[in-house]
Amino acid sequence: MSFQNEQTRWIGLILITLGIVTIFKLWWLVPAALLAGGGIVIYRRQRSLGRTDEALQALLWGIGLALLSLFHLVWPGILILGGASLLLRGREAQVEQRMWTLIGQVLNWNRRPTPPPSSSKVQIVEKQDGE
């Protein structure tokens, strides 16, 4: 898909969403949707770079803050999220695997997560004039 088509699709989806939010007066959902969406976007970006630990932490905080804002439990919830974040450190890959397994079972998917790239380092090779 070209950049122009993808951009047009996203603009169309945003306009439809804003229309639905306006018609049904769902403005109270916008901050939670932005927090959750931000967490998902950062998760996908970091995951594609092979940074599973950062990806899962972003997902935890984005979805967690979205849920806390919906239930008006932001301050005590931040303490819980902070504790969960600390307990998650170093075990992000295993937790991600379990998360996708659980989601697959709940939604009846047969999807398996792709393994992260073997290295996130970029190797630069200089070409000499004679080659």
Side-chain angles (χ1 to χ4, degrees):
M1 178 183 287
S2 72
F3 176 73
Q4 185 64 32
N5 289 340
E6 186 174 338
Q7 184 179 21
T8 303
R9 182 178 62 152
W10 278 107
I11 291 171
L13 288 171
I14 289 169
L15 290 174
I16 290 169
T17 303
L18 284 174
I20 291 170
V21 165
T22 302
I23 290 169
F24 295 108
K25 296 178 177 39
L26 299 173
W27 294 105
W28 56 274
L29 282 175
V30 172
L34 290 174
L35 285 167
I40 292 168
V41 166
I42 295 170
Y43 169 80
R44 292 182 68 184
R45 185 187 69 216
Q46 296 302 91
R47 185 69 172 88
S48 70
L49 295 173
R51 298 176 178 166
T52 306
D53 53 344
E54 294 173 15
L56 209 60
Q57 290 287 339
L59 188 65
L60 170 72
W61 281 92
I63 300 293
L65 287 173
L67 291 172
L68 293 173
S69 71
L70 283 176
F71 294 112
H72 305 290
L73 298 171
V74 176
W75 174 239
I78 287 177
L79 297 173
I80 294 169
L81 279 175
S85 178
L86 289 173
L87 292 174
L88 191 65
R89 294 261 182 223
R91 293 192 298 264
E92 286 91 348
Q94 296 88 355
V95 171
E96 182 187 39
Q97 186 71 17
R98 288 181 183 173
M99 175 188 75
W100 283 114
T101 302
L102 178 65
I103 290 172
Q105 289 172 352
V106 169
L107 299 177
N108 200 17
W109 287 347
N110 291 327
R111 180 190 178 276
R112 293 184 185 205
T114 56
S118 58
S119 173
S120 60
K121 295 179 181 177
V122 176
Q123 183 179 9
I124 299 174
V125 178
E126 293 184 22
K127 195 173 185 181
Q128 295 180 355
D129 294 332
E131 296 180 13

